[in-house]
Amino acid sequence: MKPEETLVHVSSLPVGEVLPAFEEEFGRSLTDLFSQMVRMGPYPKSITAPPGAICFLARDGVEKRLCVLSSGAKESPFFQEAEGHASTAAAGGDTYQVKVCELTHANALTLRKHIPFLRPRTAGLEKSIGLGDRLGLATPGHARAVAGTGVTPFFAQQSIREMERTHRTPDEVMDCASFGTLQEGFRAGFGSDADHLKQPEHIDYTAAAGFTMFTVDPGDHVDSDSDSDDDAALMKKYEGLPWSDLEISAADCRKLYVGRPMPGGIEAFGEKHLLRAAAKYGKAVAHTVKMYRHARTVMRRRPFELEMSVDETATPTTVYEHFYVAAELRRLGVRWVSLAPRFVGEFEKGVDYIGDIDYFRTEFEKHAAVMKALGPYKISVHSGSDKFAVYPVAAELADNLVHVKTAGTSYLEALRAISMIDPPLFREILAFAKERYPEDRATYHVSAEAERVPDPNDLKDADLPGLFEPDRIDAREVMHVTFGSVLTTKKPDGGWLFYDRFMAALRGDEEKYYGVLESHLGKHVAPFAD
Ligand code: ZN
């Protein structure tokens, strides 16, 4: 079949089906034909045939457009609903209707409505990785990093805190994921994680944008002081738990746990274990149950998955505490797909594990035993970027029942790309980041000191990318936690300090950004790959 015949062929197909990806050579000749018709450069992998039409993303200078073609032989709902500038174009002696559309929210909704692989899906127990993208440009690079590995990506993932810091909405996060997925023609499906939700209204806000995973963070209800409380204080806290919310009495809860055997050769549950676990996590369990029930009401028949995360608390989660939390959630009818304990050692942002990896291994093995006994569910590793020492341990001991969450590392890769694309801009950003760091570090778990980061003016262009090497902890952390200030600070005249130049540099040389993402995130995925 010749490329121009494809259009006629597509129009006569039964409505309701999206054609599989075009094979490579044929796709290339289609790309040539389409570039003549729309006078823009189509992204070859984006060519997709929703019912009755063909669509693709194309590059027009540094802007991107959604192009939709229809032979007009049959009405295509997709063509009708796409909002854009309509015209006609000739190919192979026939005339076709063409719509050139902006990448708006309305067009993202139309794409998701008609093309299933552009809608997020639940991942269940598939091994998976969260790939937060604070800029909305990273999905094609993320797709390349996971392609063919058997690891399910979460292209749409952002916490409420990050959305506030970057002035983004859940719709924007979702739309960027869909457009990026189309551009790269990634058809294996992706997940979407509304991360670190603390209040029921956070579920409403993100469910409305189509998110399918809710990560409940009951950290505000965790009592980390319980770790060092004496017996009397623990007893008092235990008696004072919200027992009606927990739907059990203090006495019955004691009967349920004290003396209960533990999996993995771990000593049985003692009274002290229960008092400490309940005092520390009892209110967090009650809050998680409330959030889960709210999610069920909001989602009704729509499939969703829930993660419970306590990774951002002050002290590590012991294996008894993990057991208590999981057993209580089960007793209260919560269905969850993953659980993120706070592990031993330090999980600082953007750098490798800090601590004794053998001790981590011993503790992780116990957590994995509890997970297998009370689940299975996935063990979720938050602040998961750049934890290269941890991945092989997690993959082995949890039998790949793992979800790894990354976000800031993709922002760091954007800066790495900018250090190569536009060294003067990068120097300005680094100098600003050093200045902002003392204030911006406050809500993050980091140990870098700005004074230990070199003055950018002392570095040659060729040395700038070296600041991103894994052992440059100070430079990495200083740049990591200042993303909000870098992306949202304005000049006295109201213009952006960096945002527009930052995005223009990446858009101008997007292959550079995709290349560093593929390489860096690829290293994260490799230990879990098929
Ligand atoms: Zn987290």
Side-chain angles (χ1 to χ4, degrees):
M1 188 165 42
K2 283 195 281 185
E4 49 268 37
E5 286 169 18
T6 306
L7 284 167
V8 182
H9 175 64
V10 162
S11 309
S12 60
L13 281 168
V15 172
E17 211 161 301
V18 173
L19 288 190
F22 296 104
E23 41 100 357
E24 218 174 296
E25 198 184 326
F26 186 67
R28 260 199 301 277
S29 51
L30 275 179
T31 307
D32 291 343
L33 175 76
F34 295 156
S35 69
Q36 290 163 30
M37 291 172 80
V38 300
R39 301 186 190 289
M40 282 182 259
Y43 289 92
K45 291 183 191 164
S46 73
I47 300 171
T48 304
I54 283 190
C55 74
F56 53 88
L57 286 191
R59 207 173 144 89
D60 183 14
V62 292
E63 298 296 327
K64 289 176 191 177
R65 302 278 181 250
L66 169 69
C67 301
V68 189
L69 308 181
S70 168
S71 71
K74 196 170 181 176
E75 296 252 298
S76 158
F78 178 81
F79 184 86
Q80 307 273 322
E81 288 164 32
E83 291 176 359
H85 177 74
S87 61
T88 55
D94 280 312
T95 306
Y96 298 94
Q97 298 181 48
V98 180
K99 261 189 195 173
V100 176
C101 314
E102 311 236 346
L103 302 193
T104 59
H105 178 55
N107 285 326
L109 288 174
T110 301
L111 283 170
R112 286 199 285 274
K113 178 176 167 191
H114 294 281
I115 303 178
F117 68 86
L118 302 182
R119 294 198 280 271
R121 66 168 174 86
T122 53
L125 294 179
E126 295 164 18
K127 55 192 175 180
S128 51
I129 183 166
L131 298 157
D133 172 16
R134 294 169 185 164
L135 303 167
L137 300 175
T139 295
H142 289 160
R144 293 180 196 181
V146 296
T149 63
V151 178
T152 302
F154 280 61
F155 292 146
Q157 173 206 293
Q158 206 158 1
S159 65
I160 297 287
R161 177 177 66 187
E162 284 173 0
M163 285 190 243
E164 282 166 0
R165 288 213 174 165
T166 53
H167 302 178
R168 298 177 85 211
T169 64
D171 281 338
E172 283 168 4
V173 174
M174 188 63 75
D175 294 351
C176 289
S178 292
F179 290 130
T181 302
L182 176 63
Q183 180 179 318
E184 200 58 23
F186 186 86
R187 290 166 176 251
F190 67 92
S192 59
D193 179 5
D195 200 10
H196 283 288
L197 308 184
K198 302 203 168 201
Q199 303 298 340
E201 51 274 25
H202 294 159
I203 295 174
D204 304 346
Y205 180 51
T206 50
F211 277 80
T212 49
M213 175 157 120
F214 303 108
T215 294
V216 173
D217 177 356
D220 296 344
H221 306 268
V222 174
D223 183 348
S224 293
D225 295 340
S226 303
D227 280 13
S228 50
D229 283 338
D230 61 21
D231 291 359
L234 283 180
M235 188 63 83
K236 197 162 171 241
K237 284 182 180 175
Y238 181 77
E239 297 294 340
L241 286 175
W243 291 109
S244 68
D245 292 347
L246 291 168
E247 299 172 12
I248 195 169
S249 70
D252 284 346
C253 183
R254 199 184 289 252
K255 273 185 226 150
L256 194 55
Y257 287 96
V258 177
R260 190 158 165 177
M262 289 282 285
I266 304 162
E267 195 188 321
F269 226 100
E271 179 169 29
K272 192 88 169 263
H273 295 133
L274 172 65
L275 295 183
R276 218 179 275 292
K280 186 171 173 185
Y281 287 106
K283 288 180 186 159
V285 166
H287 184 70
T288 304
V289 171
K290 185 171 134 191
M291 293 284 277
Y292 171 72
R293 289 177 184 168
H294 185 74
R296 273 196 25 187
T297 311
V298 171
M299 295 298 278
R300 291 182 195 188
R301 290 210 168 77
R302 283 155 62 196
F304 74 96
E305 49 202 357
L306 186 109
E307 171 167 312
M308 190 235 203
S309 83
V310 287
D311 66 297
E312 293 193 352
T313 53
T315 57
T317 311
T318 69
V319 69
Y320 293 100
E321 291 160 0
H322 178 171
F323 187 94
Y324 165 81
V325 166
E328 285 294 279
L329 292 178
R330 242 175 93 150
R331 181 177 66 76
L332 290 157
V334 176
R335 299 190 62 186
W336 72 100
V337 76
S338 47
L339 192 146
R342 157 80 156 84
F343 294 110
V344 294
E346 303 303 330
F347 280 68
E348 296 192 6
K349 298 287 180 185
V351 299
D352 208 337
Y353 179 74
I354 301 173
D356 178 350
I357 193 70
D358 292 328
Y359 181 43
F360 175 83
R361 191 186 166 89
T362 311
E363 287 298 301
F364 192 93
E365 192 164 19
K366 295 180 200 163
H367 285 298
V370 170
M371 172 273 278
K372 287 169 196 170
L374 294 176
Y377 45 88
K378 293 187 276 194
I379 293 190
S380 183
V381 182
H382 283 226
S383 296
S385 27
D386 305 282
K387 302 300 177 290
F388 298 109
V390 161
Y391 308 142
V393 177
E396 178 200 332
L397 298 177
D399 297 335
N400 266 334
L401 284 162
V402 179
H403 181 67
V404 173
K405 269 191 212 195
T406 76
T409 206
S410 294
Y411 168 79
L412 276 184
E413 289 308 305
L415 281 177
R416 190 202 297 261
I418 290 173
S419 79
M420 298 185 263
I421 298 166
D422 188 346
L425 172 61
F426 176 75
R427 283 197 182 83
E428 272 187 65
I429 292 172
L430 180 58
F432 175 79
K434 285 183 64 173
E435 223 172 87
R436 288 292 319 174
Y437 179 71
E439 196 174 318
D440 288 358
R441 69 180 295 178
T443 52
Y444 284 97
H445 189 55
V446 283
S447 57
E449 294 302 335
E451 306 81 66
R452 295 201 292 254
V453 179
D455 184 329
N457 295 314
D458 295 342
L459 296 169
K460 294 200 256 339
D461 287 3
D463 296 332
L464 297 176
L467 292 171
F468 296 89
E469 290 301 306
D471 58 345
R472 304 298 288 272
I473 292 177
D474 292 295
R476 289 184 65 86
E477 289 192 342
V478 164
M479 289 189 275
H480 192 295
V481 303
T482 48
F483 71 93
S485 300
V486 168
L487 296 175
T488 60
T489 300
K490 293 195 170 174
K491 294 184 290 190
D493 70 3
W496 295 109
L497 184 57
F498 296 118
Y499 181 77
D500 45 2
R501 287 183 291 158
F502 192 111
M503 299 297 271
L506 296 173
R507 287 192 173 118
D509 193 351
E510 57 182 358
E511 280 300 322
K512 184 81 89 205
Y513 187 32
Y514 302 153
V516 293
L517 284 171
E518 180 179 6
S519 153
H520 191 65
L521 273 313
K523 288 181 206 150
H524 290 64
V525 173
F528 303 97
D530 289 342

